[in-house]
Amino acid sequence: MPLKKTKSLFRYTITAVALLLIGTSCSYKQNQLLFETHGAANSTALLVGSAPYEYKIQTQDIIQMRNLQDINYVVTVPGGGGSTPGASSNAPQPQTYQVENDSTVALPVLGKVKIAGLTKLEATKKIQGLYARTVLKNPIIDLRIMNLKVSVFGEVRSPGSYMLTSDKTNLIDVLAQAGGLTEKGDEKKVKIVRGGMTDPQVLFFDLSDFRTVSNPATILQSQDIIYIAQNRRAIKNEKIQDFSTIVQPGLLFLNTALLIFTIARK
């Protein structure tokens, strides 16, 4: 093989190895930038003085409702004669309803009731008052919003979506449901991305700080994204492993090129 062609092959091999190293390095870096903070996001540390969060019902929300009282119905008598007690009935099973685009929910007997924009407590009081006036004696309405959820990504044992079954579900509760952090998780820099894509806010929490447990900002909001990044030790080990994986085929390329170069010079 001519020496000129051999040198060209050698240079091509070196270039290919360099591109492979750069490409793999960029790929690793991109994976580590998932949910990283950028200038457009509002980064916030512990919000110890923040007010407690109260979710307001929105259109398309799914609510579950039932009357907890085992009580007589009040039956309105046609023609105006007041009302008389109806037959006793056990507390019914909970039923689900959807809040429509006009901000109302269609409820038995009451018809459409506007509840969008109200907190759960405000909606409960409103519905309870309406039923008490015309339908039920001393009702106790239990209302729940069924579609509130958060997403958990990163170094947890069971990543995925988790429903907010309580108004006061906090970060620790959901991480426990997700099986806790893996050995690669960074407990000192847990992130919550809040506020949606239009106005994202990134909150940072240190789980090794006992004050985090009592921080009202850890009360989760619907659509929160929780992200657990890798700790420094895991990142270092992964870099070493990736470098080893890259170097082995690179050395094979170099050895082959050197062998061809040596043979060609003889």
Side-chain angles (χ1 to χ4, degrees), residues 9 16 24 53 64 70 105 128 137-138 192 206 252 258:
L9 178 61
T24 308
Y53 167 71
Q64 184 185 80
D70 182 8
V105 60
Q128 189 168 279
K137 276 190 173 182
N138 303 317
I192 297 179
D206 182 356
L252 180 61
L258 288 172

Side-chain angles (χ1 to χ4, degrees), residues 3-249:
L3 183 60
K4 186 175 182 181
K5 288 186 177 180
T6 305
K7 289 181 177 179
S8 297
L9 178 61
F10 182 74
R11 285 196 298 269
Y12 173 78
T13 305
I14 294 295
T15 303
V17 172
L19 290 173
L20 178 64
L21 288 169
I22 293 171
T24 308
S25 174
C26 290
S27 176
Y28 170 80
K29 197 169 184 180
Q30 287 174 355
N31 289 336
Q32 292 304 312
L33 288 176
L34 180 64
F35 296 124
E36 286 291 334
T37 307
H38 299 284
N42 181 16
S43 303
T44 309
L46 295 178
L47 303 177
V48 177
S50 60
Y53 167 71
E54 285 191 276
Y55 178 80
K56 292 189 177 181
I57 298 171
Q58 302 176 19
T59 58
Q60 302 305 312
D61 277 350
I62 305 296
I63 68 168
Q64 184 185 80
M65 191 190 74
R66 65 170 173 167
N67 174 32
L68 297 179
Q69 278 280 54
D70 182 8
I71 193 98
N72 290 344
Y73 284 101
V74 174
V75 181
T76 302
V77 178
S83 59
T84 59
S88 179
S89 172
N90 292 326
Q93 293 299 312
Q95 301 293 323
T96 57
Y97 310 91
Q98 185 174 38
V99 182
E100 302 297 339
N101 290 330
D102 62 357
S103 302
T104 67
V105 60
L107 300 177
V109 182
L110 295 180
K112 288 191 170 186
V113 178
K114 185 175 181 179
I115 61 171
L118 303 179
T119 65
K120 191 182 79 167
L121 179 60
E122 290 169 343
T124 300
K125 287 183 176 179
K126 181 175 183 177
I127 294 171
Q128 189 168 279
L130 292 173
Y131 272 119
R133 283 201 295 269
T134 58
V135 185
L136 300 171
K137 276 190 173 182
N138 303 317
I140 300 177
I141 298 298
D142 176 53
L143 186 147
R144 300 184 182 185
I145 306 169
M146 304 303 295
N147 56 296
L148 306 185
K149 63 181 180 179
V150 297
S151 299
V152 185
F153 295 98
E155 295 299 332
V156 291
R157 301 190 187 280
S158 300
S161 295
Y162 291 87
M163 304 306 296
L164 298 179
T165 56
S166 167
D167 294 339
K168 302 299 180 183
T169 303
N170 62 32
L171 175 63
I172 305 300
D173 296 331
V174 169
L175 290 179
Q177 293 180 53
L181 277 62
T182 67
E183 63 278 359
K184 295 181 180 180
D186 186 356
E187 74 281 358
K188 294 183 177 294
K189 205 172 184 181
V190 176
K191 300 176 186 177
I192 297 179
V193 182
R194 178 171 293 167
M197 299 303 295
T198 56
D199 185 25
Q201 183 183 34
V202 182
L203 310 179
F204 294 91
F205 300 96
D206 182 356
L207 297 183
S208 65
D209 187 344
F210 71 93
R211 292 173 298 179
T212 299
V213 179
S214 59
N215 188 343
T218 62
I219 301 297
L220 297 175
Q221 302 180 15
S222 185
Q223 306 304 319
D224 275 356
I225 299 172
I226 302 166
Y227 178 64
I228 311 296
Q230 289 186 347
N231 55 40
R232 292 181 179 180
R233 182 177 60 185
I235 292 174
K236 182 179 179 181
N237 291 340
E238 191 168 305
K239 284 183 177 179
I240 293 172
Q241 185 178 358
D242 288 348
F243 182 75
S244 176
T245 303
I246 296 168
V247 166
Q248 288 179 3

